[in-house]
Amino acid sequence: MSRPQDLDQASVVLYERCGVPVVGVRGEYDLHSITPLSRALGTAAREHTKVVLEASGITFADSALLNLLILTQRSVDLRVAAPARQLRRLLEITGVDAVLKVRSTVEEAATC
């Protein structure tokens, strides 16, 4: 059984929840696909004090995403909402979950 290739293609959408910018992402994030997400987080961080990354649609993440999250956390109050299982495991294994504020939902991340 094959799956459509576009399921893993990285995409970024911006929206607002409770007055907080939310960067919603889908797909795979690695060295080759991280740039649009990096730009979106950078723009949101320059304009706001808190940013939520809605991460439930991430199907793959590697050190490029981890690095981006850590660097973003240094400049803004970054909240990671609803990380997909693979990302949650990656955050736990590397200890990055102790550095980031990981929340179950976008609403919880935006209001806490």
Side-chain angles (χ1 to χ4, degrees), residues 4-56:
Q5 289 184 356
D6 63 339
L7 285 179
D8 292 328
Q9 230 174 26
S11 66
V12 177
V13 296
L14 301 170
Y15 62 97
E16 192 173 291
R17 183 67 44 99
C18 304
V20 176
V22 178
V23 179
V25 293
R26 302 282 178 266
E28 297 183 352
Y29 287 90
D30 59 20
L31 183 61
H32 302 290
S33 60
I34 200 77
T35 301
L37 176 55
S38 178
R39 287 183 184 141
L41 287 174
T43 298
R46 282 189 296 280
E47 298 173 1
H48 302 277
T49 59
K50 184 191 314 184
V51 174
V52 173
L53 174 68
E54 193 274 298
S56 65

Side-chain angles (χ1 to χ4, degrees), residues 29-31 34 60-67 86 90:
Y29 287 90
D30 59 20
L31 183 61
I34 200 77
F60 174 81
D62 68 5
S63 61
L65 180 65
L66 289 178
N67 186 51
Q86 189 268 338
L90 182 62

